[in-house]
Amino acid sequence: MWSSASVPAIQRSAIENATFNSLKASGAFAAGAENAKIHPAVAPLAEEIIVTKHRVSAFAGTDLDLMLRANGIETLILTGIITSGVVLSTLSHAADADYRLLVVGDCCSDGDEEVHRVLLEKVFPRQATITTAAGLAQAIRAGR
């Protein structure tokens, strides 16, 4: 609909992301919460960049794309919980931004095994290479 000044009028509905809002309300991943801490086994080195997520996608509301491009990073390796949420949202954004994508299937999980399977076998391969942790380790050792 056009406003009287012949400028597009933009309307916002009150619909919100139910999944994200329920997680936010629980406080489970709030800054400083135990669930939000980086596990010591994968603690970042002093010179490594930490991106704090604010939404389901790692790109939404962060400077991740800017940091990756500034460092010449063109390939992303995706792992994570909630294959149908976090991994899917991040993969979709990254694919649209022309990153080369690898999804480590056995390092992803979802509460719905059928959804997890369909994403890994049918959806993700359209935009990413699907591999395993062993396959990724072998490719890294081979320098690929």
Side-chain angles (χ1 to χ4, degrees):
M1 174 166 232
W2 292 89
S3 70
S4 59
S6 295
V7 176
I10 300 171
Q11 308 271 334
R12 181 189 175 277
S13 71
I15 297 172
E16 304 214 9
N17 183 321
T19 300
F20 180 77
N21 286 335
S22 64
L23 281 174
K24 186 177 178 181
S26 76
F29 294 101
E34 194 61 35
N35 291 344
K37 292 181 181 175
I38 298 172
H39 192 280
V42 292
L45 301 174
E47 68 275 5
E48 291 181 322
I49 298 168
I50 298 172
V51 175
T52 301
K53 285 180 44 184
H54 303 284
R55 302 300 294 180
V56 177
S57 168
F59 288 93
T62 72
D63 291 332
L64 180 58
D65 186 55
L66 178 66
M67 288 185 251
L68 293 169
R69 294 191 191 284
N71 286 284
I73 297 169
E74 299 174 342
T75 301
L76 305 181
I77 300 169
L78 303 179
T79 66
I81 58 169
I82 314 177
T83 311
S84 61
V86 174
V87 181
L88 174 61
S89 296
T90 300
L91 180 139
S92 295
H93 187 116
D96 283 347
D98 296 323
Y99 286 98
R100 179 175 172 249
L101 301 169
L102 289 97
V103 175
V104 186
D106 57 353
C107 292
C108 297
S109 66
D110 197 283
D112 186 324
E113 284 301 317
E114 179 64 9
V115 170
H116 176 77
R117 183 192 66 75
V118 168
L119 287 169
L120 289 173
E121 292 178 9
K122 299 191 179 281
V123 178
F124 290 175
R126 295 177 182 172
Q127 298 174 307
T129 299
I130 309 304
T131 190
T132 62
L136 177 63
Q138 183 178 14
I140 291 171
R141 281 192 298 274
R144 293 183 276 159

